[in-house]
Amino acid sequence: MTVGIPLAGFADAVHDAQSTFRAVLDALARPARAVTVPATPDGPAELTAAARAVLLALCDEATPLWLNERTPELEAWLSFHTGAPLADDLRDAAFAVVSAPAALPGLRDFAQGTDETPHRSATVIVVDAEGLPGETYLADGPGFEHPLRWMAPPFAAGFAEQWAANHARFPRGVDLIIAGAASVTGLPRTTRLER
């Protein structure tokens, strides 16, 4: 199979990367709230526009990337636009892309960092193309003035227990960025979720 020229990335590489980075920071600082991503780059159909923007803004040749589903087109696009090496083992990835909320692997399977180097944990980008509702949680922790009702995407059974264990491992653990069609929602490991 021959892969053609990768689709265009950001229209304005510097400005779009900066505005996307700010949106991701805002989403992680204000968990469980959707933040609009102003840049909507073209790219593979496997990713939402928000997921494409996040990958273009955050990934580079120093950030190994794991994909739960690979296609030649997606790999070529990522290689051309980010230079990020693809990791075969999710434990080796700085960033991971999961194709749908229900496809999220066990959170403990990703790089967790250590108490001394928690920044070596993975950030998991969950593509939420459908935008369907899942369970509702009461979210609280840093970044919340008051607890907030959050309707999560439809994660697989057992997510609540996995998230509680991920939160308990702080400062180790993973952070999630849920990438919808044009917005991102951050779920850092410091966030508590209760049903």
Side-chain angles (χ1 to χ4, degrees):
M1 173 186 254
T2 304
V3 177
I5 297 170
L7 293 169
F10 284 138
D12 180 337
V14 174
H15 177 267
D16 290 349
Q18 289 174 343
S19 63
T20 300
F21 187 72
R22 281 193 300 272
V24 170
L25 287 181
D26 190 27
L28 290 170
R30 300 173 57 242
R33 298 168 186 96
V35 176
T36 299
V37 176
T40 55
D42 288 333
E46 296 91 342
L47 303 173
T48 61
R52 292 190 293 262
V54 169
L55 289 166
L56 291 176
L58 300 183
C59 295
D60 61 25
E61 62 280 349
T63 56
L65 177 64
W66 179 81
L67 308 168
N68 76 316
E69 291 185 8
R70 292 184 178 189
T71 66
E73 292 79 10
L74 178 58
E75 290 185 22
W77 186 83
L78 287 166
S79 176
F80 182 82
H81 289 289
T82 71
L86 295 181
D88 291 322
D89 189 326
L90 64 147
R91 291 171 292 197
D92 297 330
F95 292 98
V97 177
V98 178
S99 58
L104 182 66
L107 297 177
R108 196 171 190 114
D109 295 337
F110 294 99
Q112 301 290 304
T114 66
D115 288 345
E116 296 77 23
T117 60
H119 62 281
R120 294 192 182 270
S121 64
T123 298
V124 183
I125 300 157
V126 180
V127 179
D128 185 22
E130 301 295 324
L132 298 174
E135 285 198 63
T136 298
Y137 296 93
L138 189 65
D140 197 10
F144 294 87
E145 186 175 349
H146 305 288
L148 172 74
R149 290 241 172 251
W150 176 57
M151 186 175 292
F155 291 115
F159 172 77
E161 294 75 18
Q162 285 192 51
W163 188 260
N166 183 66
H167 174 73
R169 285 192 288 276
F170 182 82
R172 294 169 293 128
V174 302
D175 300 319
L176 300 185
I177 298 171
I178 301 158
S183 66
V184 290
T185 302
L187 204 63
R189 66 195 86 172
T190 55
T191 301
R192 293 185 299 277
L193 296 178
E194 294 180 7
R195 285 190 265 193

